[in-house]
């Protein structure tokens, strides 16, 4: 006994999309990029999809769900008959590239998860610095570092890498553990900031503040030496070398900053940083910095 139901010979785009599990808009996109040939249109001007069209749509849907890009599907299934054929040579290389991409994505997700865990453990901003930097700061009481300290470490790490920032961290450890030193640092910082565009470069205040900066840096250096932080710097270099043994050809790949190119870090040279990192310093303040450097050079 025959069923009274008679299947349609062709269906409209809405029915085709519903059966395949996609949307009419997606099917129209398939037509636009040449993934699916335009079907015949009925007397009302609407697209009509037959059995072969539906088979191709099903294969497209399944392949796209596997993560393969539509352009790759189009190339692999250039012959409509090959979409359901047993010969998969056309898509094998695409699958190989896709698997490599998924492996890379998994590695990136693991890296991101580790970063989020570090942020939760170390504190959101502290956790964004590298382990090598935060490891040196762990002994400090919570909240003893200022936002400006972390900002400076972030910039230093971008230019000189984790080792450079870890060495600089000794400065902020000294400031965080010596309130009188921090107070003097704030005073000198404020004096430098007061050298705005209204101050001429030959104003006596410029030389005076430069001398104050030089004296403070000498005091800070002495505190770092006496507290053993300088000896800790030597240990940092040894730890870094142990964690990052030089490659056989690294000497040839080292740049002018001595950072080398074989350690997988993309740091900037000082010259690059000067041209790309803005600092709103007035001419008077820049002159003050130059004078302070000259005073330091005379002491060497």
């Amino acid at each position: 006994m025959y069923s009274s139901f008679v299947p349609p010979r062709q269906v409209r785009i809405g029915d085709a999309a519903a059966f395949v599990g996609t949307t009419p808009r997606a099917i129209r996109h398939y037509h636009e990029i040449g993934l699916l040939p335009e079907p015949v249109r009925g007397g009302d001007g609407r697209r009509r999809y037959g059995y072969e069209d539906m088979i191709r749509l099903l294969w497209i849907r399944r392949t796209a769900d596997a993560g393969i890009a539509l352009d790759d599907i189009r190339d692999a299934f250039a012959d409509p008959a090959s979409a359901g054929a047993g010969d998969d040579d056309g898509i094998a290389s695409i699958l190989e590239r896709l698997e490599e991409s998924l492996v890379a994505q998994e590695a990136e997700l693991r890296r991101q998860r580790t970063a989020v865990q570090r942020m939760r453990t170390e504190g959101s901003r502290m956790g964004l610095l590298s382990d090598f930097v935060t490891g040196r700061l762990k002994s400090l009481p919570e909240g003893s570092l200022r936002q400006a300290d972390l900002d400076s470490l972030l910039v230093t790490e971008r230019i000189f890498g984790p080792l450079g920032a870890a060495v600089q961290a000794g400065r902020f450890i000294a400031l965080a553990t010596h309130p009188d030193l921090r107070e003097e640092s704030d005073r000198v910082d404020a004096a430098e900031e007061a050298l705005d565009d209204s101050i001429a470069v030959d104003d006596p205040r410029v030389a005076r503040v430069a001398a104050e900066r030089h004296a403070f840096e000498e005091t800070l250096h002495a505190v770092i030496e006496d507290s053993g932080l300088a000896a800790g710097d030597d240990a940092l270099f040894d730890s870094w070398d142990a964690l990052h043994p030089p490659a056989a050809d690294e000497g040839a790949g080292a740049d002018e900053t001595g950072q080398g190119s074989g350690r997988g870090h993309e740091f900037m040279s000082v010259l690059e940083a000067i041209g790309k990192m803005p600092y709103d310093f007035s001419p008077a303040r820049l002159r003050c910095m130059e004078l302070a450097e000259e005073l330091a050079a005379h002491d060497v």
Side-chain angles (χ1 to χ4, degrees), residues 29 31 33 42-43 59 66 84 93 99 115 134 145 191 237 241 264 292 297:
H29 182 62
H31 294 316
I33 66 174
W59 281 116
S93 62
E99 185 172 9
T134 56
L145 286 176
F237 284 98
D241 289 338

Side-chain angles (χ1 to χ4, degrees), residues 1-286:
M1 182 176 180
Y2 292 101
S3 170
S4 60
F5 173 73
V6 179
R9 300 182 69 175
Q10 294 177 322
V11 296
R12 295 179 179 178
I13 192 170
D15 293 327
F19 180 81
V20 172
T22 186
T23 65
R25 181 178 180 180
I27 295 178
R28 294 189 188 98
H29 182 62
Y30 299 161
H31 294 316
E32 291 173 359
I33 66 174
L35 180 57
L36 181 69
E38 280 276 358
V40 297
R41 293 179 182 264
D44 56 1
R46 295 182 177 181
R47 296 179 179 91
R48 293 290 193 275
Y49 297 84
Y51 179 81
E52 295 297 333
D53 297 319
M54 298 298 288
I55 292 298
R56 187 172 178 86
L57 278 170
L58 285 171
W59 281 116
I60 291 171
R61 175 69 176 175
R62 289 293 182 93
T63 311
D65 286 346
I68 299 178
L70 295 181
D71 288 343
D72 286 335
I73 299 174
R74 179 189 57 208
D75 295 340
F77 295 165
D79 178 5
S82 69
D87 184 5
D88 292 331
D89 290 343
I91 201 171
S93 62
I94 296 172
L95 292 175
E96 183 178 358
R97 294 199 307 270
L98 176 61
E99 185 172 9
E100 292 173 354
S101 175
L102 291 173
V103 170
Q105 290 177 35
E106 289 174 353
E108 178 63 13
L109 285 174
R110 287 194 297 270
R111 186 198 65 76
Q112 291 177 355
R113 184 180 180 189
T114 300
V116 170
Q117 290 173 337
R118 286 193 70 247
M119 291 174 68
R120 296 183 64 184
T121 301
E122 305 289 349
S124 58
R125 292 186 185 274
M126 180 83 79
L128 288 172
L129 298 172
S130 66
D131 288 336
F132 206 71
V133 180
T134 56
R136 197 177 192 195
L137 301 171
K138 284 185 179 297
S139 60
L140 289 177
E142 185 176 354
S144 59
L145 286 176
R146 296 180 178 179
Q147 181 60 55
D149 300 339
L150 296 176
D151 292 344
S152 183
L153 289 169
L154 183 67
V155 173
T156 300
E157 185 172 326
R158 178 67 183 94
I159 301 173
F160 297 105
L163 178 59
V167 171
Q168 187 193 36
R171 176 187 186 91
F172 299 120
I173 294 173
L175 293 176
T177 53
H178 294 79
D180 55 335
L181 202 60
R182 174 72 86 173
E183 183 178 352
E184 178 63 9
S185 176
D186 290 343
R187 189 192 68 77
V188 176
D189 288 345
E192 286 182 340
E193 291 172 3
L195 299 176
D196 55 25
D197 288 321
S198 67
I199 307 297
V201 293
D202 57 353
D203 189 295
R205 285 171 288 183
V206 175
R208 184 175 69 247
V209 175
E212 292 173 355
R213 167 58 68 185
H214 173 63
F216 168 76
E217 294 298 331
E218 288 286 296
T219 302
L220 176 61
H221 179 73
V223 169
I224 291 175
E225 287 285 344
D226 294 342
S227 63
L229 289 170
D233 289 345
D234 294 334
L236 282 175
F237 284 98
D238 292 339
S239 298
W240 181 263
D241 289 338
L243 291 171
H244 305 84
D249 59 347
E250 185 170 332
D255 58 23
E256 294 180 356
T257 64
Q259 296 169 161
S261 58
R263 290 179 175 175
H265 300 283
E266 296 179 356
F267 306 133
M268 284 187 173
S269 70
V270 176
L271 290 178
E272 285 180 305
I274 291 174
K276 299 181 184 300
M277 183 64 185
Y279 289 94
D280 190 16
F281 292 161
S282 68
R285 186 167 181 180
L286 290 173

